[in-house]
Amino acid sequence: TNKMGDVKKGAKIFKVKCAQCHTPQPGGKHMQGPNLGGLFGRQSGTGAGYNYTDANKNSGITWDEGELDIYLTNPKKRIPGTKMVFAGLKKKGDRADLIAYLKEATA
């Protein structure tokens, strides 16, 4: 269905758009945003040791490629009340690249 994104391009997007608030690797530290290790298959708002908003805890989302694609398009629309200060990635190709990177980096 979706063509796989480019991991190298995704790493660049992560560095520019995400790394100021998130560490990707499992066991990494929480920053302004939670560590993203083990993201795929985890329910939103359940990463250990991070103070999530009720909006994230109660969203009922389990993270996979499809959910991340929707969320990263417009986070505040998908989870109203999230404290993530990020307008979203409007280009589908950019989201595919970032998701491909996250799949590798967070595993």
Side-chain angles (χ1 to χ4, degrees):
T1 51
N2 293 10
K3 74 164 191 71
M4 274 301 288
D6 182 314
V7 173
K8 280 200 173 77
K9 285 183 186 166
K12 284 187 185 136
I13 293 168
F14 187 89
K15 194 173 175 186
V16 173
K17 304 270 189 188
C18 318
Q20 57 271 43
C21 299
H22 292 285
T23 54
Q25 68 285 353
K29 64 180 174 148
H30 295 308
M31 296 167 66
Q32 187 174 339
N35 166 258
L36 300 177
L39 180 67
F40 285 80
R42 188 168 73 214
Q43 193 166 339
S44 173
T46 62
Y50 183 79
N51 183 22
Y52 292 92
T53 59
D54 287 343
N56 276 69
K57 287 187 220 164
N58 299 329
S59 73
I61 292 171
T62 298
W63 296 118
D64 61 19
E65 291 94 331
E67 279 292 356
L68 283 164
D69 186 55
I70 295 165
Y71 181 67
L72 291 169
T73 304
N74 187 340
K76 287 189 188 309
K77 185 176 174 191
R78 183 64 184 99
I79 304 182
T82 183
K83 63 185 173 186
M84 185 160 96
V85 186
F86 180 60
L89 286 174
K90 300 310 174 213
K91 293 184 184 156
K92 190 158 186 61
D94 287 350
R95 293 193 308 274
D97 293 342
L98 179 58
I99 291 165
Y101 167 74
L102 286 171
K103 202 155 190 196
E104 206 168 89
T106 65

